[in-house]
Every structure is written in structure tokens, then in C-alpha cells.
Amino acid sequence: MSNPYQDAGVDIESGYKISKFVKQNTNNNGNIGNFGGIYEIPAGYKRPVLVSGNDGVGTKLLLTNQAKKWDTIGIDCVAMCVNDILAQGAIPQYFLDYISTGKVDIKVEEILKGVIEGCNQANANLVGGETAEMPGVYGPDDYDIAGFSVGICEKDALLQKENVKTGDVLIGLTSTGIHSNGYSLVRKIFFEENNFTTDTVLPEVPEKTLGELLLTPTKIYVQDVMPLLEERLVHGIAHITGGGFYENIPRMMNDDLAAKINVDIWPTLPVFELLQKYGQLQLNDMYHIFNMGLGMVIAVDPTKEIEVLELLNESETVAYTIGEVVTKDTDDLILKGEKL
């Protein structure tokens, strides 16, 4: 007997299989399959505030189809949401995903493996999601992914612009690579202008294919930053995403302040050297676009600098003092260093 919905290109059985897959691979599976995700606010808060965020992964997802590797892009999606929540001073609590595609197949399970791993890294519960098969909107191999997350903190612990003061020390937390921004330019440089493929191995980075290098997932900063928030050691946080240093760092402070940063302090990641070389980009322009090796910048009281660095670098060096907050003269951001 024919199934008219399946004849139209939608396999509803695939959705049931996806729900079953998520239930089997998460601890918090009581919500999966319900009409809405349920989450109980933890006890102990006096004036709890919920902080929410949603995001996607941009055109980075196109590389997953090129490389036939879909198991990390879900980490990126979780990271983009929970890192934004951290920047407000909140601890992520739960996450939901939305995946739309022309055909639900093995790639969706692989994507969800990344979502589940990202939630584990963020200590966030996966309380639900949606997988939509949409032939006609997407080709069989096409897809998109978006996420939504909610965090919590005390109202008086919210990180607000007025918390950041002149003289505050700026500490940068290292990134794992490009993260999930700027990939339209990345793809243009490597695949259009230089005709590389995801299988290309460049002599500057012989240990990885270009696909492996570019699909390195976005770092999730929950484990690094949560202890600092719990001890109230942070005045402000900038999540370095689209717009790079110039757009994101000034967002955590008032208009009369500026950030003064020495770009020679932290190590340069090979992927940014490749972008500059093969894209013939001006270094200063790259700070307008990419995270340049720092995925987060936090502002702390100078008397707490050593304590914060020791907490962040307890097991490995992931954080560097990169500058300070100053009274603004003309520019929101002042970069200096021999690299420039």
C-alpha cells in the first residue's frame, strides 16, 4: 500500500528513528518525543534570571558535505549558543536543536552525535529538538542546523557594561581555530581562489587535511569560565565571533572605554597564517573578521589577574593577559605589536 506522504518525498518513519536514536544516546531522554521540553529551575537561587541565546553555524556546514564528515558540526552549534550565554554571566542549563534537510539519512545521526557531545561538554541538558524533512526547499544532501539554549544566574551576577572599569585587565582564552565565523571568506580563499579541496594537505600543516583543519569544532568555554563566574571574578566577557576583535570586544564595555591589546602575546594558530598567505589578507583586516586565536576575552580586576590566570591555566596554558581597559580617546579598540 502506498504512502501518499512518502510519495511526496517525506519519510515520517525517519523522524521516529531519529527520536529513538537521541533517546538511546542521552541520559535526559524523558523529554525526547514530547511536544515540549521540560526543565526544572535548580533550587537555591534567590532572584534567578534566565538568559537565552540562539545561533547556527553559518556556511561552515557546507564543508561537512564536501568532506563527508558531519559528526562535529553539532558541537559548533551548541558552542555558538552556550558561549554567548556565558558572556552574559549565566551558566547554560539546556539546549534544543533544529535540523532541516531534503532527506533524513545517516548525516542527521552524525550531526546529532555532535549535538550530544556539545551538550556533554557544556553540562547542558538536551531537552528536545526538531528534525524536518523538507524536499523542494532543500536538495537531498542539503541541510541547515540551528540551536537554542537557556542559562541561569542570579540577577545581581549578570555581566553588564557598567561592571567593566578603566584599568581592568583583559585576559584572552585561546580558540581551537576559526570556530564558526568567516567561512564564506574561508571557502572563497581556499576553494575558489586556490582550487584546494577538503582532502588537500598543505605543506605548512602536513599533519592534517584542509578539511580536518577547517572542521575543527568551536571550543566550548563552560568548564573554563564557570568557576570564574561562580566566584564572581569576572567583570565582562566578549565572545569573539563574527566581526572579530573590533566588533565584539567593545560590546562588553561602555562607550567611554576602549580596549588596548598587544597582539604579540598569544601564539598564532597555523590556520590563520594560511588564510593570510593564501588570501593575501592584511593582518589588521583579519582582526576585523576572525578570532585570531582567542575565542573569548574577559575583563577582570587587576588584583584578581593572577588568581584568574591560575584557575584558567591549572592543567594547560589556555589564557594570557593581553591588555587592559583604558579611557577612550578616539577608537573603541587599540591593537599594537610587532606583528602589525
Side-chain angles (χ1 to χ4, degrees):
M1 182 178 177
S2 66
N3 183 322
Y5 206 9
Q6 189 162 333
D7 292 343
V10 178
D11 182 5
I12 59 174
E13 292 295 328
S14 62
Y16 302 148
K17 291 176 184 177
I18 292 299
S19 292
K20 183 178 180 181
F21 170 81
V22 176
K23 282 185 177 181
Q24 291 173 339
N25 288 275
T26 58
N27 294 323
N28 183 43
N29 57 25
N31 278 309
I32 306 303
N34 292 335
F35 289 103
I38 300 169
Y39 185 79
E40 183 176 357
I41 294 177
Y45 286 93
K46 297 177 181 178
R47 297 188 67 191
V49 174
L50 299 180
V51 178
S52 57
N54 68 299
D55 211 337
V57 298
T59 60
K60 185 175 185 176
L61 62 81
L62 295 175
L63 300 186
T64 66
N65 282 346
Q66 288 178 242
K68 304 298 181 187
K69 178 177 171 57
W70 301 280
D71 61 342
T72 58
I73 200 70
I75 300 175
D76 289 294
C77 190
V78 175
M80 295 302 291
C81 296
V82 299
N83 287 343
D84 275 352
I85 288 171
L86 282 174
Q88 295 295 124
I91 307 300
Q93 300 296 301
Y94 64 84
F95 181 85
L96 300 95
D97 65 88
Y98 178 82
I99 300 171
S100 50
T101 182
K103 181 176 176 55
V104 174
D105 54 21
I106 188 62
K107 70 175 177 291
V108 176
E109 285 192 10
E110 292 295 298
I111 293 165
L112 285 168
K113 286 179 183 178
V115 171
I116 293 167
E117 172 59 24
C119 288
N120 289 338
Q121 291 183 23
N123 286 333
N125 288 306
L126 180 61
V127 298
E130 171 71 7
T131 300
E133 195 169 55
M134 300 167 63
V137 176
Y138 299 94
D141 297 326
D142 298 331
Y143 75 93
D144 198 3
I145 179 172
F148 175 85
S149 189
V150 170
I152 191 171
C153 68
E154 294 285 5
K155 185 173 183 178
D156 64 0
L158 281 169
L159 298 182
Q160 303 188 60
K161 291 183 177 183
E162 53 265 28
N163 296 352
V164 179
K165 308 296 183 183
T166 301
D168 278 355
V169 171
L170 296 174
I171 295 175
L173 280 69
T174 54
S175 67
T176 50
I178 303 173
H179 285 181
S180 298
N181 299 102
Y183 273 83
S184 294
L185 177 58
V186 170
R187 291 185 300 107
K188 180 176 183 287
I189 290 170
F190 289 131
F191 306 122
E192 295 178 24
E193 295 178 351
N194 289 280
N195 295 312
F196 298 145
T197 71
T198 53
D199 292 326
T200 298
V201 177
L202 296 172
E204 297 88 349
V205 189
E207 67 274 13
K208 289 185 177 181
T209 66
L210 188 56
E212 289 170 332
L213 193 65
L214 297 180
L215 286 174
T216 302
T218 306
K219 183 173 181 178
I220 292 174
Y221 290 96
V222 173
Q223 299 300 323
D224 295 308
V225 174
M226 187 167 64
L228 308 182
L229 295 177
E230 290 175 343
E231 296 298 323
R232 302 208 179 186
L233 295 171
V234 178
H235 287 175
I237 297 178
H239 181 203
I240 313 302
T241 56
F245 279 44
Y246 282 92
E247 180 178 323
N248 292 290
I249 294 176
R251 290 171 65 185
M252 68 171 165
M253 60 188 72
N254 281 326
D255 292 341
D256 60 338
L257 300 178
K260 187 177 182 180
I261 293 173
N262 185 344
V263 300
D264 295 331
I265 298 295
W266 66 95
T268 302
L269 296 176
V271 68
F272 296 110
E273 295 176 343
L274 294 176
L275 282 166
Q276 185 180 8
K277 175 182 177 179
Y278 290 101
Q280 298 182 329
L281 300 175
Q282 295 295 317
L283 187 57
N284 194 61
D285 289 337
M286 294 180 66
Y287 285 94
H288 280 276
I289 303 167
F290 301 111
N291 69 60
M292 299 304 290
L294 297 180
M296 274 194 169
V297 174
I298 63 176
V300 303
D301 188 285
T303 64
K304 302 296 184 181
E305 175 189 357
I306 301 302
E307 182 180 356
V308 169
L309 286 171
E310 287 178 347
L311 284 170
L312 290 171
N313 295 330
E314 190 172 8
S315 57
E316 60 179 323
T317 302
V318 299
Y320 301 83
T321 297
I322 62 169
E324 63 179 330
V325 177
V326 298
T327 301
K328 185 166 72 174
D329 184 8
T330 55
D331 298 324
D332 293 327
L333 181 70
I334 306 153
L335 298 183
K336 63 176 184 177
E338 293 183 6
K339 289 179 183 177
L340 296 173

